[in-house]
Amino acid sequence: MPMSWADSVSAVENPAGAPSKSAYVPPHLRNRPSADPPAQASYAGPSALGNDHSGYGVPNVVGSRWSGQRNEYQSDYAGGGGRGGGWNGRSGGGWDRGRDREVNPFTDDDSEPVGEQESSGINFDAYEDIPVETSGDNVPPPVNTFADIDLGQAVNENIRRCKYVKPTPVQRHTIPISLAGRDLMACAQTGSGKTAAFCFPIISGIMRGQFPRPPRPRVAFPLALILSPTRELSCQIHDEAKKFSYQTGVKVVVAYGGAPINQQLRELERGVHILVATPGRLVDLLERARVSLQMIRYLALDEADRMLDMGFEPQIRKIVQQMDMPPPGVRQTMLFSATFPKEIQRLASDFLSNYIFLAVGRVGSSTDLIVQRVEYVQETDKRSHLMDLLHAQRDNSVNGKQALTLVFVETKKGADALEHWLCMNGFPATAIHGDRTQQEREYALRSFKTGNTPILVATDVAARGLDIPHVAHVVNFDLPNDIDDYVHRIGRTGRAGKTGLATAFFNENNSSLARSLSDLMQEANQEVPAWLSRFAARSTYGGKNRRGGGRFGGRDFRRDSSYNRGATDYYGGGGANMNSGYASGGYNTSSYGAAAGVTSAWD
Ligand SMILES: Nc1ncnc2c1ncn2[C@@H]1O[C@H](COP(=O)(O)OP(=O)(O)OP(=O)(O)O)[C@@H](O)[C@H]1O
């Protein structure tokens, strides 16, 4: 009988009763040192913060909204209640022991990719002429190199370990904005390095800041909260953040649904500076009073438009507005996505204070990195058409290794059925969707990443954020209803300067998407088939086709004349500290890159 995930985790915790087959361990708990010392000796974040590896021995706060409060705080914030109170002293030696115990995330081969995983091979030329547009008050100028940014020695060392040679455009612009303490809504193409763009300033800010001691034991008081919509994405952000914060003393913990909560509670009790979480599990932890948000200084929402879409909005409002989190203007808030529909921007502005809007890159995820093809395929022909594509791909395999192909379908049942059919026909495939257990989801992802099953059939649960190297082909077997979902799906390929292919199967059922798809492809200089243009000419934008970005995935809604007329409506009661410059029409916009001065089909 297969062992459940919960059983397998408790088997890890109770080795005496462990079954002979290897037990499943959640990703964020893998590669932990085998002998776990008592909690009080395990991690002493605050002493690390004082253990100056970062060049911050002398307060050197760059425009942080916390700089003025340094002296009010104790110097030894520990990030969590801890057990036994071993969290307080810089001189207690806990950090040194803690640091020794810190697992080196750069040697983690947990998800060994098909080929070598190198960042240095990134083709930055692909980003040279990317259009960038900022709006807002007193926008800090972009930087050109990591050396131009004062992130501290320890973070710089981790950047080197990551093999990041220079910042991507979104990093060049957002990091100075965030380090200046400004709120931010950033809309940048898929695969362009947004994760590091919000992680670096948070880590650096926590390293240089001084924070009060958590007031209650056994309750976690994170300083930063990063929310994302899926479990896999939260795990991925956690992994990335651990790399960026290695040996900085900043402790990152992840909490997500589908995993045993007790394990996560124990992690939280050991101390946390940065909590990465999915909204549902976080609400659970808040309701159990095991996490308090009262010390939050940084709030980042990844895939922010998804987080504020109908499904998640109530939970996000609860977390951000109805618990004990400091209000906008006190905390620093950063929202990131590749797409930002205007109505979502309006909602989001409730969470922000005098923010800067940044748009980087074209719609369709990247300039010419993703070749987009649309083929007219009747429902009944889709399987055989897919088979043809896969056969062609198999013929083109390099060194016997088949390129990774991600196939998006509409329903969970459809995913199961297509996976089964592919396997029956000799194509090693696996599937990921919301009805699979977390263990199955993780196995599927891992099996795909390592190339054991080079075809992954997925629902939209895999559409956003997942950074899987070597995905060469994204097939929209079923097209989504929303063009923004299409943008995120195809963005699973063509990442970080690499090229990719996206094929969509289109038929009458997708008529409502025709116009936005055809416009998007034109914007991205893709060949639009004549038949699709005819479909587009016949259709209007459906209610769900709400793109408003033109060359970008979104444009600042405050630029709309309707916004200036009705500014108070949007901000009434939201607590936003609106800069008078916007409402009075004196708002600043600047464009960088090849194409300054914006004209857009959607405005
Ligand atoms: N400065 C850099 N130099 C080289 N590689 C980088 C740099 N910054 C990020 N990367 C790499 O680029 C890839 C994509 O980054 P990331 O996942 O943060 O993209 P994203 O913009 O969040 O994408 P999505 O919109 O799909 O969520 C990752 O593999 C990351 O390690």
Side-chain angles (χ1 to χ4, degrees):
M1 204 177 81
M3 187 166 52
S4 77
W5 189 26
D7 289 344
S8 62
V9 170
S10 62
V12 174
E13 292 164 12
N14 303 298
S20 53
K21 69 176 177 177
S22 63
Y24 174 76
V25 182
H28 67 285
L29 297 178
R30 288 177 199 147
N31 288 338
R32 291 171 63 110
S34 49
D36 235 4
Q40 61 265 38
S42 65
Y43 180 83
S47 43
L49 304 179
N51 190 352
D52 187 11
H53 295 276
S54 61
Y56 294 127
V58 178
N60 180 24
V61 178
V62 188
S64 160
R65 61 183 59 171
W66 303 105
S67 55
Q69 299 180 35
R70 287 178 68 95
N71 295 336
E72 294 168 23
Y73 289 140
Q74 303 290 313
S75 60
D76 49 7
Y77 170 75
R83 286 175 293 183
W87 300 94
N88 304 328
R90 289 181 183 206
S91 57
W95 164 239
D96 283 329
R97 276 190 286 157
R99 185 182 52 184
D100 289 342
R101 286 186 61 253
E102 192 177 10
V103 175
N104 182 348
F106 296 96
T107 58
D108 179 5
D109 62 352
D110 179 45
S111 56
E112 194 184 308
V114 176
E116 97 273 21
Q117 188 171 10
E118 283 252 336
S119 300
S120 51
I122 283 183
N123 172 20
F124 271 100
D125 294 344
Y127 293 121
E128 281 307 313
D129 61 351
I130 272 183
V132 176
E133 190 173 276
T134 54
S135 47
D137 195 28
N138 295 325
V139 181
V143 291
N144 288 317
T145 67
F146 284 119
D148 295 342
I149 318 169
D150 184 18
L151 290 167
Q153 191 185 320
V155 175
N156 284 338
E157 182 61 18
N158 292 331
I159 291 172
R160 193 192 58 74
R161 289 180 175 119
C162 286
K163 303 190 177 108
Y164 293 177
V165 177
K166 58 181 180 176
T168 64
V170 65
Q171 293 163 1
R172 290 180 52 224
H173 287 266
T174 58
I175 295 174
I177 292 170
S178 306
L179 286 178
R182 297 293 301 278
D183 281 4
L184 174 68
M185 193 186 285
C187 183
Q189 62 186 61
T190 52
S192 63
K194 294 188 285 295
T195 315
F198 57 76
C199 283
F200 288 159
I202 292 176
I203 294 164
S204 168
I206 291 175
M207 286 169 67
R208 69 183 68 194
Q210 296 195 357
F211 305 98
R213 191 173 302 184
R216 288 191 299 281
R218 289 184 64 80
V219 179
F221 287 86
L223 297 170
L225 176 64
I226 300 173
L227 290 170
S228 95
T230 67
R231 301 163 184 180
E232 289 76 15
L233 184 51
S234 285
C235 284
Q236 180 181 297
I237 295 169
H238 173 248
D239 289 344
E240 290 291 284
K242 286 204 16 173
K243 285 184 195 160
F244 303 148
S245 62
Y246 180 53
Q247 295 199 327
T248 62
V250 175
K251 180 149 192 224
V252 192
V253 173
V254 64
Y256 54 97
I261 199 163
N262 287 338
Q263 196 83 41
Q264 293 172 2
L265 287 171
R266 274 197 293 279
E267 280 288 302
L268 287 165
E269 279 189 12
R270 291 190 174 104
V272 51
H273 297 107
I274 301 176
L275 176 59
V276 184
T278 51
R281 178 53 58 96
L282 179 61
V283 167
D284 192 352
L285 292 166
L286 291 168
E287 284 172 349
R288 291 171 190 234
R290 300 301 295 274
V291 171
S292 163
L293 302 177
Q294 81 183 51
M295 291 182 64
I296 290 292
R297 302 296 181 254
Y298 304 93
L299 169 66
L301 263 55
D302 197 14
E303 310 298 344
D305 56 331
R306 175 77 187 90
M307 304 295 277
L308 293 167
D309 217 332
M310 284 183 313
F312 280 114
E313 194 206 341
Q315 279 179 327
I316 299 297
R317 284 205 184 273
K318 179 165 187 169
I319 292 166
V320 178
Q321 295 179 319
Q322 292 158 27
M323 307 305 285
D324 52 353
M325 188 185 292
V330 178
R331 63 164 198 262
Q332 187 178 351
T333 308
M334 294 171 267
L335 310 184
F336 281 79
S337 184
T339 49
F340 256 117
K342 290 194 174 168
E343 68 269 22
I344 300 284
Q345 289 188 39
R346 259 177 223 122
L347 284 177
S349 61
D350 281 358
F351 300 134
L352 296 158
S353 167
N354 187 22
Y355 66 95
I356 291 167
F357 185 93
L358 172 81
V360 184
R362 292 194 172 102
V363 290
S365 81
S366 32
T367 48
D368 301 320
L369 296 176
I370 303 175
V371 174
Q372 298 177 57
R373 284 202 317 229
V374 188
E375 295 176 5
Y376 191 88
V377 187
Q378 292 290 4
E379 286 302 315
T380 46
D381 296 337
K382 280 182 173 178
R383 283 185 174 181
S384 62
H385 208 81
L386 178 64
M387 187 71 93
D388 292 344
L389 290 181
L390 293 174
H391 272 299
Q393 214 161 279
R394 193 182 255 178
D395 295 343
N396 290 335
S397 63
V398 182
N399 298 335
K401 278 185 176 154
Q402 212 185 317
L404 302 188
T405 302
L406 185 49
V407 184
F408 281 104
V409 295
E410 199 52 35
T411 65
K412 301 167 200 169
K413 268 194 180 152
D416 285 336
L418 187 60
E419 176 202 21
H420 180 71
W421 183 81
L422 284 167
C423 291
M424 296 298 288
N425 285 279
F427 284 95
T430 184
I432 185 166
H433 60 69
D435 276 355
R436 297 257 163 125
T437 66
Q438 189 57 23
Q439 184 178 11
E440 288 167 337
R441 282 164 64 157
E442 285 167 18
Y443 275 143
L445 213 48
R446 187 168 150 74
S447 173
F448 180 57
K449 278 184 184 177
T450 54
N452 287 341
T453 43
I455 303 165
L456 179 65
V457 184
T459 59
D460 264 332
V461 75
R464 283 177 178 254
L466 294 186
D467 184 50
I468 304 168
H470 311 291
V471 174
H473 196 175
V474 171
V475 179
N476 273 292
F477 188 90
D478 300 322
L479 269 164
N481 295 321
D482 187 325
I483 193 68
D484 285 347
D485 292 337
Y486 172 84
V487 168
H488 287 275
R489 284 180 179 188
I490 67 169
R492 295 318 97 210
T493 187
R495 298 177 69 74
K498 297 199 177 73
T499 53
L501 172 66
T503 305
F505 296 171
F506 184 102
N507 60 39
E508 271 84 3
N509 296 339
N510 311 114
S511 301
S512 66
L513 197 70
R515 190 159 156 197
S516 46
L517 181 60
S518 143
D519 286 350
L520 180 95
M521 290 178 69
Q522 257 167 25
E523 285 292 335
N525 295 322
Q526 302 294 310
E527 203 175 308
V528 181
W531 58 262
L532 182 62
S533 301
R534 285 196 292 278
F535 264 99
R538 285 203 298 271
S539 70
T540 53
Y541 289 115
K544 289 193 149 186
N545 296 331
R546 56 208 175 153
R547 169 164 298 285
R551 300 173 312 142
F552 303 104
R555 291 189 61 216
D556 191 348
F557 90 103
R558 295 173 299 184
R559 305 181 70 178
D560 288 0
S561 54
S562 60
Y563 166 74
N564 284 333
R565 280 199 304 275
T568 48
D569 290 347
Y570 300 135
Y571 283 85
N577 176 13
M578 189 61 187
N579 182 284
S580 58
Y582 292 120
S584 65
Y587 113 122
N588 304 315
T589 289
S590 40
S591 289
Y592 304 84
V598 179
T599 50
S600 161
W602 283 281
D603 277 342

